[in-house]
Amino acid sequence: MDERGRRRYLVPDENRAFWIWAAIEFFRHTGARIEEMLEISHHSLVQYVLPSTGEVVPLLQIAPSKTDEERLLLVSPELADVLSAMVTRVRGNHRAVPLVSAYDLGERVWNPPMPLLFQWSSAGQNRPLSAATIRKALGETLAASGLTDSGGDPLAYQPHDFRRIFVTDAILSGLPPHIAQVICGHKSITTTMGYKAIYPTEAHRGFIARRRATRPSDEYRTPTEEEWDAFLAHFEKRKVSIGTCARAFSSPCVHEHACIRCSLLRPDPAQRGRLEEIRDNLVARIAEAEHEGWLGEIEGLRVSLAGAEDKLAQVYALAERKSATVQLGMPGFSRSGGTAGTPS
């Protein structure tokens, strides 16, 4: 029932809520443009196998847009959850993602039927989501949230604002600007730095400009092949005995390789036995230290024990969700074909 006591059909509302959630999360984890997002298909999910370790790195292919270049983005666990939910919803009771035709507003042509991920059922037919629908739903979500800015005015976001947030967070987390340029597909480092949040104070901008003038010009240029290879090699070094290190590129190890204590470690469920062994060993060492009066070691051991228990809790929680996990797979054209929508 609504506020007037009338019956309310919640299916369209739920459908709209899901897709604006998916869009917001996609924007937040990729920094993609809205036209790039709406062109993402099941074929955009690709994988790269590291030749040295055999680790499979999931990647998302961003098709070249009207202004940016084609690129591959690393699929984070958070983004993988979003993509998994989208694929599950779009597939429904079918094995394959349905094919739909989308109208390209820039070129004013209908694209061939593709297994687009941003599609929903309307009037009994699968149709691609439009940019206007995403923008309208984003405004409705912000209005319903009640979020305001520092002046008390309601927030007003556009899809492009998430791109600015993405670039700002990436650079503040230690990602070199010229690497962020490649990830975003910008042809100029100036464009990338323009996306980074700018403080309104003229004094601050002047301070930053003076500091940049003292830095080597090499820091603000297109990366060389060697630098890009070094960036990719970072992912080969993420693997440790009990999981994967998720610290940002070129950032130091804050725990001096005491991974069990580190909040950036993503534990590997396959190492559950090793983690339990580490936890039991720490409990025994604490008991021994208390018995022998080694008070100087107890605090450090307890910190490590808290870290081990936290990692085990993550593994247990992941195991509980595993039954609902959807394997996205790497689709081929024979698998992705489904009922093709027709332009209308």
Side-chain angles (χ1 to χ4, degrees), residues 7 98 137 142 146 150 189 216-217 234 240 292 305 307 319 321:
R7 289 194 177 189
L142 284 170
S150 58
I189 190 68
S217 59
H234 163 75
V240 295
E292 299 293 338
L305 177 60
R321 301 198 308 266

Side-chain angles (χ1 to χ4, degrees), residues 291-318:
H291 180 267
E292 299 293 338
W294 301 333
L295 303 182
E297 291 192 15
I298 294 177
E299 183 177 355
L301 290 171
R302 285 176 175 168
V303 172
S304 296
L305 177 60
E309 291 176 339
D310 177 66
K311 302 300 180 294
L312 276 171
Q314 295 179 41
V315 170
Y316 296 151
L318 183 61

